[in-house]
């Protein structure tokens, strides 16, 4: 499989994870991030407009990637 196609499919999965995190934050959950450093993320004040704007951007980027993947035969 083409390396570019693999990278685009991985990015779609990353976007799906980001969408899931936004929905979890929107419900008031605290997200624990592990990596080089560990920390927790939570949102105290509910900014629906900001959530919706970010979700819209992520959905659009995911859709564009999926169209490109389909055109490449993936």
């Amino acid at each position: 499989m083409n390396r570019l196609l693999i990278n685009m499919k991985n990015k779609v999965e990353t976007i799906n994870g980001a969408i899931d995190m936004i929905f979890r934050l929107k419900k008031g959950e605290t997200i624990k991030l592990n990596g080089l450093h560990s920390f927790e993320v939570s949102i105290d004040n509910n900014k629906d407009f900001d959530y919706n704007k970010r979700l819209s951007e992520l959905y659009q980027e995911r859709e564009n990637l999926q169209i490109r993947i389909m055109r490449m035969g993936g």
Side-chain angles (χ1 to χ4, degrees):
M1 189 182 298
N2 183 333
R3 189 72 188 146
L4 176 61
L5 189 59
I6 293 169
N7 288 341
M8 287 192 302
K9 287 183 178 184
N10 289 340
K11 188 169 183 180
V12 168
E13 291 304 313
T14 301
I15 291 171
N16 287 337
I19 290 170
D20 178 58
M21 283 186 189
I22 289 174
F23 279 118
R24 289 172 53 199
L25 284 170
K26 202 171 180 180
K27 289 191 299 187
E29 291 183 32
T30 298
I31 298 172
K32 183 170 181 155
L33 301 172
N34 293 314
L36 184 57
H37 303 284
S38 277
F39 57 96
E40 294 182 359
V41 177
S42 63
I43 302 297
D44 293 332
N45 50 359
N46 193 355
K47 297 180 179 180
D48 279 334
F49 176 75
D50 193 43
Y51 289 130
N52 293 333
K53 181 180 174 191
R54 300 296 175 238
L55 283 171
S56 177
E57 291 170 354
L58 288 168
Y59 283 133
Q60 185 63 46
E61 186 174 352
R62 182 178 69 181
E63 183 179 341
N64 291 341
L65 276 169
Q66 289 173 331
I67 290 169
R68 288 182 64 197
I69 289 168
M70 292 306 293
R71 285 184 183 158
M72 292 180 74

